[in-house]
Amino acid sequence: MEEKMKKIGRGMNIRMGLLMSFCLSLIGTLFSGHFTVPGFILSFIVSTIISMIIGFVIPMGKVTNSLAGKLGLKQGTLPERLFSSLISNLIYTPLMTFCMVFLAYQMAMKQSGGMAQLNLLSMFLPSLLICFIAGYILIFIFQPLFFKILMARYAGNEKKY
């Protein structure tokens, strides 16, 4: 059972990391007003690396289950899912958003020879708000779906996803 849960945790980390990285990189580059395919790809790669590191360092399932349990929230209920999504989002999104905004800031400053009239904080805060909302929705919708798929896979069911 322990090994099964580790496999599910790794699978969740990879799936959620890729989903969050793809969507937040896309949202970030679209809302920047300067969407480029190379910029999106670079953002996606860096974001994926960051999300994988976070996911392998922080046992998200254990953290969210523990905190939800301390509040008396029953696993699988709507209040527990809302709370767990919030905790996951608080862990992933600010760090990923800051790294992506910092990368965009550095690239803009480099391309302008340091002459761009940019403020990192004024770039970060609106991006954080947008990405936090998007991240919360993504986690709330996709985390239980991925969990069900992985449970079916590792429970030995004939249905393979």
Side-chain angles (χ1 to χ4, degrees):
M1 184 65 170
E2 176 91 17
E3 185 61 32
K4 177 177 147 181
M5 293 311 290
K6 283 184 181 180
K7 287 180 182 179
I8 290 171
R10 285 191 297 268
M12 287 292 291
N13 176 41
I14 291 166
R15 284 161 179 78
M16 289 303 297
L18 288 171
L19 175 73
M20 294 286 287
S21 296
F22 179 82
C23 292
L24 295 184
S25 294
L26 184 60
I27 289 168
T29 53
L30 287 173
F31 277 96
S32 74
H34 304 288
F35 180 84
T36 63
V37 173
F40 165 72
I41 292 171
L42 179 62
S43 177
F44 174 65
I45 291 169
V46 172
S47 181
T48 300
I49 292 167
I50 293 166
S51 67
M52 293 299 156
I53 291 169
I54 292 169
F56 284 117
V57 170
I58 300 171
M60 202 62 63
K62 288 181 181 179
V63 170
T64 57
N65 289 341
S66 174
L67 292 173
K70 288 180 182 180
L71 291 177
L73 300 173
K74 187 175 178 180
Q75 193 168 10
T77 63
L78 182 60
E80 183 273 334
R81 285 192 52 223
L82 291 166
F83 180 75
S84 293
S85 297
L86 177 65
I87 298 303
S88 294
N89 200 27
L90 284 170
I91 293 170
Y92 274 98
T93 305
L95 181 59
M96 287 173 60
T97 303
F98 179 78
C99 290
M100 296 303 94
V101 170
F102 186 73
L103 177 65
Y105 175 81
Q106 290 293 87
M107 289 172 62
M109 292 305 278
K110 183 179 178 184
Q111 290 174 352
S112 72
M115 301 302 287
Q117 300 283 326
L118 298 174
N119 180 305
L120 183 60
L121 188 61
S122 66
M123 290 173 66
F124 173 66
L125 293 178
S127 294
L128 179 61
L129 178 64
I130 292 165
C131 288
F132 195 80
I133 292 167
Y136 185 82
I137 293 167
L138 288 169
I139 293 168
F140 183 78
I141 292 170
F142 288 98
Q143 198 170 37
L145 295 174
F146 290 158
F147 185 74
K148 285 179 185 176
I149 290 168
L150 290 165
M151 284 297 287
R153 173 180 284 174
Y154 293 114
N157 292 356
E158 64 280 346
K159 206 173 196 182
K160 299 291 180 195
Y161 296 92

